[in-house]
Amino acid sequence: MTTTPVSNEVFRQMAGDHIDLANRHAEQSFIGDAGGALLQAATRYSAFTCAAQSMDKTQFLAARKLNVDQLTAQFRELLLSHYDDFGDNYETYLK
Protein backbone atom coordinates (compact mmCIF):
# COMPACT_ATOMS: atom_id res chain seq x y z
CA MET A 1 0.00 0.00 0.00
CA THR A 2 1.50 3.33 -1.07
CA THR A 3 1.41 6.48 1.04
CA THR A 4 2.02 8.87 -1.85
CA PRO A 5 -0.93 11.21 -2.49
CA VAL A 6 -2.43 11.05 -5.97
CA SER A 7 -2.99 14.01 -8.25
CA ASN A 8 -6.40 15.72 -8.41
CA GLU A 9 -6.90 14.19 -11.86
CA VAL A 10 -6.22 10.67 -10.60
CA PHE A 11 -8.43 11.28 -7.54
CA ARG A 12 -11.35 12.41 -9.75
CA GLN A 13 -10.85 9.37 -11.98
CA MET A 14 -10.91 7.05 -8.95
CA ALA A 15 -14.17 8.63 -7.74
CA GLY A 16 -15.60 8.40 -11.25
CA ASP A 17 -14.72 4.71 -11.42
CA HIS A 18 -16.70 4.05 -8.22
CA ILE A 19 -19.67 6.02 -9.56
CA ASP A 20 -19.52 4.12 -12.87
CA LEU A 21 -19.65 0.81 -11.00
CA ALA A 22 -22.61 1.99 -8.91
CA ASN A 23 -24.39 3.11 -12.08
CA ARG A 24 -23.86 -0.33 -13.65
CA HIS A 25 -25.29 -1.94 -10.52
CA ALA A 26 -28.25 0.48 -10.63
CA GLU A 27 -29.06 -0.74 -14.16
CA GLN A 28 -29.62 -4.22 -12.74
CA SER A 29 -31.26 -3.34 -9.41
CA PHE A 30 -33.15 -0.63 -7.56
CA ILE A 31 -31.07 2.58 -7.54
CA GLY A 32 -31.42 2.76 -3.75
CA ASP A 33 -29.84 -0.68 -3.41
CA ALA A 34 -26.90 0.36 -5.59
CA GLY A 35 -26.45 3.51 -3.51
CA GLY A 36 -26.78 1.58 -0.28
CA ALA A 37 -24.14 -0.89 -1.38
CA LEU A 38 -21.80 1.98 -2.29
CA LEU A 39 -22.39 3.56 1.12
CA GLN A 40 -21.79 0.21 2.84
CA ALA A 41 -18.52 -0.19 0.94
CA ALA A 42 -17.42 3.39 1.71
CA THR A 43 -18.06 3.05 5.43
CA ARG A 44 -16.40 -0.37 5.60
CA TYR A 45 -13.35 0.95 3.76
CA SER A 46 -13.28 4.07 5.96
CA ALA A 47 -13.14 1.92 9.09
CA PHE A 48 -10.36 -0.10 7.47
CA THR A 49 -8.34 3.03 6.64
CA CYS A 50 -8.67 4.24 10.23
CA ALA A 51 -7.46 0.87 11.50
CA ALA A 52 -4.63 0.70 8.96
CA GLN A 53 -3.38 4.15 9.98
CA SER A 54 -3.41 3.31 13.69
CA MET A 55 -0.32 2.18 15.54
CA ASP A 56 -2.29 -0.56 17.29
CA LYS A 57 -5.77 -1.67 18.34
CA THR A 58 -5.72 0.51 21.47
CA GLN A 59 -5.00 3.66 19.46
CA PHE A 60 -7.61 2.66 16.87
CA LEU A 61 -10.32 2.22 19.50
CA ALA A 62 -9.32 5.40 21.36
CA ALA A 63 -9.68 7.43 18.16
CA ARG A 64 -13.18 6.11 17.40
CA LYS A 65 -15.15 9.27 18.26
CA LEU A 66 -12.67 11.60 16.59
CA ASN A 67 -12.50 9.51 13.40
CA VAL A 68 -16.28 9.05 13.18
CA ASP A 69 -16.87 12.75 13.82
CA GLN A 70 -14.34 13.77 11.14
CA LEU A 71 -15.67 11.32 8.56
CA THR A 72 -19.27 12.28 9.30
CA ALA A 73 -18.46 15.99 8.93
CA GLN A 74 -16.63 15.32 5.66
CA PHE A 75 -19.54 13.26 4.32
CA ARG A 76 -22.00 16.00 5.25
CA GLU A 77 -19.90 18.72 3.60
CA LEU A 78 -19.48 16.71 0.40
CA LEU A 79 -23.15 15.70 0.30
CA LEU A 80 -24.31 19.30 0.71
CA SER A 81 -21.95 20.45 -2.03
CA HIS A 82 -23.09 17.76 -4.46
CA TYR A 83 -26.75 18.30 -3.53
CA ASP A 84 -26.39 21.99 -4.36
CA ASP A 85 -24.66 21.09 -7.63
CA PHE A 86 -27.52 18.79 -8.60
CA GLY A 87 -30.00 21.52 -7.64
CA ASP A 88 -28.21 23.94 -9.96
CA ASN A 89 -27.89 21.40 -12.79
CA TYR A 90 -30.92 19.17 -12.26
CA GLU A 91 -32.22 19.19 -15.83
CA THR A 92 -28.75 18.64 -17.32
CA TYR A 93 -27.73 15.81 -15.00
CA LEU A 94 -31.00 13.90 -15.19
CA LYS A 95 -31.46 13.87 -18.97
Side-chain angles (χ1 to χ4, degrees), residues 29-59:
S29 67
F30 175 63
I31 194 169
D33 290 339
L38 184 59
L39 183 59
Q40 170 73 10
T43 56
R44 176 88 180 162
Y45 198 79
S46 293
F48 163 73
T49 62
C50 291
Q53 295 175 51
S54 298
M55 298 300 286
D56 56 32
K57 182 179 178 179
T58 301
Q59 182 189 42

Side-chain angles (χ1 to χ4, degrees), residues 1 8 14 20 32 37 40 46 48 53 61-62 67 91-92 94:
M1 192 174 345
N8 287 339
M14 290 166 56
D20 290 344
Q40 170 73 10
S46 293
F48 163 73
Q53 295 175 51
L61 294 175
N67 287 333
E91 291 81 9
T92 302
L94 295 180

Side-chain angles (χ1 to χ4, degrees), residues 10-25:
V10 170
F11 183 84
R12 284 190 299 275
Q13 181 61 51
M14 290 166 56
D17 291 347
H18 291 294
I19 293 167
D20 290 344
L21 179 59
N23 285 334
R24 287 195 305 273
H25 288 170

Side-chain angles (χ1 to χ4, degrees), residues 25-90:
H25 288 170
E27 290 172 359
Q28 301 170 1
S29 67
F30 175 63
I31 194 169
D33 290 339
L38 184 59
L39 183 59
Q40 170 73 10
T43 56
R44 176 88 180 162
Y45 198 79
S46 293
F48 163 73
T49 62
C50 291
Q53 295 175 51
S54 298
M55 298 300 286
D56 56 32
K57 182 179 178 179
T58 301
Q59 182 189 42
F60 169 69
L61 294 175
R64 182 179 188 263
K65 180 172 178 14
L66 175 66
N67 287 333
V68 169
D69 287 350
Q70 287 177 340
L71 289 164
T72 302
Q74 184 179 22
F75 181 89
R76 179 178 174 74
E77 181 180 324
L78 290 168
L79 178 59
L80 288 170
S81 174
H82 291 297
Y83 208 98
D84 292 344
D85 181 42
F86 270 81
D88 293 340
N89 298 286
Y90 189 87

